[in-house]
């Protein structure tokens, strides 16, 4: 149940960001749910591999290269999903940063509700 709620909150974050950012678009709410699932899978499977391969660059940039890795994950999701589009690497970085912040806020609200 917690996993489903986290996916739905991530989809909500994707929809909110697609409304705010001009160069990010999502066709429907179902597409946003698919984006949330695909991003979760890519972060679980592909991101660790990319982090290992780019470890020297990540160390040299003091971790800032992880922003580029996140942008690559977002652009990969863009290529995999038809109703989701991000125009360029800069917008993928901005989307990635804002998505992380928004997910942190939404997930912390989820944790606070469980304590009550």
């Amino acid at each position: 149940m917690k996993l489903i709620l986290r996916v739905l909150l991530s989809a909500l974050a994707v929809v909110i960001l697609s409304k705010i950012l001009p160069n990010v678009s999502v066709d429907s709410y179902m597409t946003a749910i698919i984006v949330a699932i695909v991003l979760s899978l890519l972060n679980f499977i592909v991101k660790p591999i990319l982090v290992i391969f780019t470890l020297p660059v990540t160390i040299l940039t003091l971790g800032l290269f992880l922003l580029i890795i996140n942008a690559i994950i977002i652009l990969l999701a863009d290529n995999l999903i038809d109703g989701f589009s991000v125009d360029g690497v800069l917008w993928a970085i901005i989307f990635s940063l804002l998505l992380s912040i928004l997910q942190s806020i939404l997930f912390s609200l989820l944790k606070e509700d469980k304590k009550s």
Side-chain angles (χ1 to χ4, degrees), residues 1-8 110 114:
M1 185 67 177
K2 185 178 177 182
L3 177 66
I4 294 171
L5 212 49
R6 287 177 68 97
V7 167
L8 290 176
L110 180 66
K114 286 202 165 202

Side-chain angles (χ1 to χ4, degrees), residues 31-80:
T31 304
I33 292 171
I34 294 169
V35 169
I37 292 170
V38 168
L39 284 176
S40 297
L41 288 173
L42 289 174
N43 280 327
F44 183 71
I45 298 169
V46 177
K47 187 174 180 179
I49 296 168
L50 289 176
V51 169
I52 289 171
F53 283 140
T54 62
L55 193 57
V57 176
T58 304
I59 291 171
L60 284 175
T61 61
L62 303 175
L64 289 177
F65 193 74
L66 291 174
L67 292 173
I68 303 299
I69 292 174
N70 286 337
I72 291 169
I73 297 291
I74 299 291
L75 292 173
L76 188 57
D78 175 18
N79 288 330
L80 293 174

Side-chain angles (χ1 to χ4, degrees), residues 90-104:
L90 178 63
W91 287 106
I93 292 171
I94 293 169
F95 179 79
S96 172
L97 284 171
L98 293 177
L99 183 66
S100 296
I101 292 168
L102 198 52
Q103 282 178 335
S104 296

